Amino acid sequence: MLNINRHLDDRERVGAPIRVGLVGAGQMGMAFAAQVGRMRGMRLLAVCDLDPARAADALVAAGWARDRIVDLDAGPSPDGERPGVTVAAERLLERPLDAVVEATGDPEAGARVADAAIAAGLHVVMLNAEADATVGPWLAYQAAQRGVVYTGSAGDEPGATKELYDFCDALGFEVLVAGKGKNNPLDPFATPQSVRAEAVRRGMNPKMLASFVDGTKTMVEMTCLANATGLVPDVPGMHGVEADLDTVVDRLCLVSEGGVLNRYGVVEYVRGLAPGVFVIFRAQHPISLETLRYVRLGQGPNFVLYRPYHLTSVETPLSVARAAIYGEPTIAPLGAPVAETVAVAKRDLRPGDRLDGLGGTTVYGLCIEAERARRDQLLPVGLALPGTRVARPVRKGEVLTYGDVEWPSEEPVVLTLRRRQDEHFAAMGPDAHRVPSRTSPPEE
């Protein structure tokens, strides 16, 4: 994002900083807040969290004096420029904001907040891949209709990979594979109990760590990347090969070329490249090949570009700035989903059992092509919400279908939005692959 620092300088100089609200003041939200506090041309004005004290801590991390912070739940602030905290997202959306960052990591909360923020005419930056993988295509479509930006975050692995993808695609290279390194060992049946000791050692929520170890987080992230590029998983769950920079091009090539892939144009994860992201591309013109060999990128015709870091929510302010200044997303679904992360039973499930969400003891996520998920009515993992009732027996290792579960009588927002998404893109037919351009320029 060249020159974005200059644009932020300009906003600081004229006293028109980008005004941001944050929903979710956990680890990711707190890091975002702290970084905004070090930036020019951007202000964090409101934080929503179930713990008001934690919300206030986020505003202090963003540079505000604690005695300046107001409680938005106690009544409207007479000064719209004073920072405020709330436990209700609707209070936050009443503030004079330009953008909202959603950082709860909860599919239901993320869907509800993003939908309301778009309706309020605000840009939305999702630090919530779980919600994006479930209803991101619908939210992106709605944002386009409202003339605002819906986007995933820079620093998250899908956004970091998308930067490499766009670089190669713009130069006319053929992108063969795009993906991430996996940080944690893979155990699809991991539970909060089985990873608790490691979680305590690392200062993490055991359920969050379980969602990493069981692969759900990786599957969700690669679903987001797939839906933003049109790349698809080669096989259910992808291959997940072990490789390093010297071997990844040889591993992630076609079977006929000595690798593991059945086709190109895929998303993947690699054990051995963490914590970075990568793109494998092909150069075909002899002069291009000669140049790439000259700069020691390899012998070709397939080459790898690797970014050895992703700074998670520390980079999120750049997505806020890109949305507000350029009116562009960092990463967003192109249209109808091409990939889906579906729910797979971690253990035998019986009628009457209750699901316990991502990183729990009941399901893990598996990235597959969306066409199969639609055909077989497979349940997106983002709809396997805590408390959802199992309606009929599901054996360990089986993919759940919509018919296997029952939701409460009060339908979750994420399920309502998912129904609208499915109906909308089904009605679009062959045009469903692409969201229309924004209908109006970004507001200053």
Side-chain angles (χ1 to χ4, degrees), residues 3 24 29 35 42 66 70 78 92 99 136-137 154 157 159 170 211 276 285 309 318 330 366 372 375 381 392 422 425:
N3 300 315
Q35 201 61 39
M42 190 177 297
R66 196 173 294 274
V70 298
L92 179 142
E157 284 151 311
S211 74
H285 196 284
Y309 64 91
L318 296 179
T330 299
L366 187 73
R372 178 192 164 193
R375 183 187 68 230
V381 76
R392 55 194 186 200
D422 292 344
F425 288 116

Side-chain angles (χ1 to χ4, degrees), residues 362-408:
T362 53
V363 298
Y364 67 90
L366 187 73
C367 180
I368 67 172
E369 287 195 70
E371 183 178 356
R372 178 192 164 193
R374 287 190 293 268
R375 183 187 68 230
D376 297 341
Q377 284 293 289
L378 304 181
L379 181 71
V381 76
L383 298 184
L385 300 169
T388 301
R389 179 181 176 275
V390 177
R392 55 194 186 200
V394 182
R395 298 188 64 179
K396 180 179 178 179
E398 287 186 346
V399 181
L400 279 72
T401 69
Y402 278 90
D404 292 328
V405 297
E406 295 175 347
W407 287 278

Side-chain angles (χ1 to χ4, degrees), residues 8 33-34 86 91 115-116 174 205 221 268 280 287 368 397 438:
L8 290 169
T86 178
R91 296 281 83 78
D115 185 55
E174 179 188 2
N205 182 309
E221 289 172 336
E268 266 296 342
I280 297 173
I287 296 177
I368 67 172
R438 287 158 38 83

Side-chain angles (χ1 to χ4, degrees), residues 286-309:
I287 296 177
S288 298
L289 282 168
E290 180 183 354
T291 303
L292 294 173
R293 290 165 181 160
Y294 173 75
V295 297
R296 299 183 180 180
L297 201 61
Q299 290 303 305
N302 297 356
F303 301 88
V304 61
L305 290 183
Y306 177 63
R307 175 179 162 175
Y309 64 91

